[in-house]
């Protein structure tokens, strides 16, 4: 039976470094060299979207890892001048996207989604679909409203295929409060931080141009990669909370919930042809999306280098290669 291989990569800021290292380690195992290059479709949200677009463009894992190790501190650079201007993140985004944009331009140049050799699915969120840029990429809007927008290159009829890769990378990673919006788009993590289900449903769209991009569901093999998860919980049975109490935990609740339901749905639909790798951080340890201190980077590298990949490697041998 033919296989249609899908590689899906979660959002998670600088923790994308963990995902890249896990992929590198798997590629070093016997029989799994360059396993990720066999994917027909790369899907990614936020930092995962940057990785997915990079892989589809032919960027190597080593190059991607170097970017995260050497450039993350510049991407998440918060000067005292910027803090003063935005009242310490009260009325402005915490970081500028200027440096990230310059690096992404170096990666992708003028390549559009149509120019990629592999299929991609990259979730973003369009805050106002009547904006000129949104019309250019997304087609004529029926009504002015915000809405999810999934950039892909499956159909020439979707005008999003004309979008430059570097811009789509900026759109999907424009996390609210962390970075400014870009052309009216924000981070796709607001609705699909785990893009596995978005990727799976795209393979079933009868409007996909090529017959080989319309596989039967039983032909799809999907590997979902997370950026690591923390052991979090909220204790107490009856919490009479308002804005102040929910402000801190609600983002993690939503992101983990979104990722969890996509994991459940894909597992139910694909069964043994689906696998998720998302290692758990040690109890009490949490790496933020902007954890860029040298010690934290070193800890994330050590964590990724020591994760047990036995189950994932076996699944790749059984279902992927």
């Amino acid at each position: 039976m033919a296989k249609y291989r899908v590689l899906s990569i979660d959002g998670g800021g600088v923790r994308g470094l963990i995902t890249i290292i896990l992929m590198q380690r798997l590629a070093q195992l016997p029989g799994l060299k360059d396993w990720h290059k066999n994917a027909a479709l790369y899907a990614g949200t936020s930092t995962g979207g940057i990785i997915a677009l990079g892989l589809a463009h032919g960027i190597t894992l080593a190059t991607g890892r170097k970017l995260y190790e050497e450039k993350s501190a510049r991407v998440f650079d918060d000067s005292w001048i910027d803090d003063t201007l935005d009242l310490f993140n009260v009325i402005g985004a915490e970081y500028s996207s200027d440096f990230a944009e310059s690096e992404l331009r170096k990666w992708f140049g003028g390549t559009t989604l149509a120019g990629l050799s592999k299929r991609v699915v990259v979730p973003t969120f369009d805050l106002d679909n009547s904006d000129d840029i949104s019309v250019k990429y997304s087609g004529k809007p029926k009504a002015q409203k915000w809405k999810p927008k999934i950039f892909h290159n499956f159909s020439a009829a979707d005008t999003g295929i004309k979008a430059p890769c570097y811009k789509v990378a900026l759109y999907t990673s424009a996390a609210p409060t962390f970075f400014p919006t870009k052309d009216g788009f924000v981070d796709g993590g607001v609705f699909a931080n785990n893009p596995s289900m978005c990727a799976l449903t795209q393979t079933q769209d009868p409007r996909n141009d090529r017959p080989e991009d319309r596989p039967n569901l039983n032909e799809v093999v999907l590997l979902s990669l997370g950026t690591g998860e923390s052991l979090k919980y909220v204790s107490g049975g009856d919490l009479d909370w308002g804005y102040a109490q929910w402000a801190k935990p609600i983002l993690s609740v939503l992101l983990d919930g979104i990722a969890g339901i996509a994991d459940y749905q894909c597992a139910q639909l694909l069964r043994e042809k689906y696998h998720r790798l998302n290692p758990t951080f040690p109890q009490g340890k949490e790496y933020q999306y902007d954890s860029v201190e040298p010690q934290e980077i070193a800890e994330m590298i050590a964590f990724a280098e020591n994760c047990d990949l036995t189950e994932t490697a076996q699944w790749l041998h059984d279902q992927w290669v």
Side-chain angles (χ1 to χ4, degrees), residues 75-307:
V75 172
F76 295 98
D77 180 30
D78 193 24
S79 68
W80 69 267
I81 296 177
D82 180 66
D83 276 343
T84 302
L85 292 175
D86 61 27
L87 296 184
F88 293 90
N89 206 204
V90 174
I91 61 170
E94 189 162 359
Y95 308 108
S96 166
S97 59
D98 291 348
F99 180 76
E101 180 170 347
S102 68
E103 290 299 307
L104 291 170
R105 280 179 178 270
K106 293 176 185 177
W107 263 28
F108 298 110
T111 303
T112 64
L113 297 188
L116 297 174
S117 60
K118 294 290 185 78
R119 293 292 181 250
V120 293
V121 164
V122 183
T124 64
F125 195 89
D126 189 354
L127 293 175
D128 180 2
N129 66 345
S130 69
D131 178 82
D132 289 342
I133 296 294
S134 300
V135 172
K136 178 181 177 181
Y137 292 157
S138 307
K140 185 178 179 180
K142 295 180 180 179
Q144 185 175 3
K145 64 175 184 177
W146 60 23
K147 61 183 179 64
K149 166 62 183 174
I150 299 177
F151 282 90
H152 64 80
N153 55 358
F154 278 81
S155 173
D158 188 324
T159 54
I161 200 171
K162 302 175 184 177
C165 292
Y166 85 89
K167 281 204 168 187
V168 177
L170 287 170
Y171 298 161
T172 191
S173 58
T177 75
F178 285 92
F179 294 104
T181 64
K182 186 66 177 179
D183 295 338
F185 291 95
V186 294
D187 198 309
V190 299
F191 74 97
N193 202 51
N194 172 355
S196 297
M197 197 62 189
C198 294
L200 180 58
T201 53
Q202 185 62 55
T203 69
Q204 303 303 296
D205 191 335
R207 297 170 296 178
N208 293 345
D209 286 343
R210 303 188 310 180
E212 57 266 37
D213 285 328
R214 299 191 297 269
N216 293 324
L217 192 62
N218 61 4
E219 295 175 325
V220 178
V221 178
L222 197 158
L223 175 61
S224 174
L225 298 178
T227 61
E229 63 177 347
S230 302
L231 296 172
K232 297 179 181 178
Y233 62 90
V234 174
S235 59
D238 300 296
L239 300 174
D240 186 15
W241 282 8
Y243 292 118
Q245 296 97 331
W246 275 113
K248 185 175 181 179
I250 193 63
L251 179 60
S252 294
V253 169
L254 292 174
L255 291 178
D256 288 349
I258 289 168
I261 196 62
D263 178 39
Y264 170 78
Q265 291 166 332
C266 288
Q268 293 301 308
L269 290 171
L270 298 179
R271 300 295 178 176
E272 71 279 357
K273 294 182 181 296
Y274 169 79
H275 179 77
R276 179 159 171 83
L277 173 61
N278 190 29
T280 302
F281 299 133
Q283 182 71 54
K285 191 64 182 180
E286 178 180 358
Y287 296 104
Q288 303 294 334
Y289 302 137
D290 55 351
S291 295
V292 294
E293 292 298 325
Q295 180 181 345
E296 293 176 317
I297 294 291
E299 288 178 358
M300 280 189 274
I301 292 173
F303 172 77
E305 293 284 8
N306 289 282
C307 289

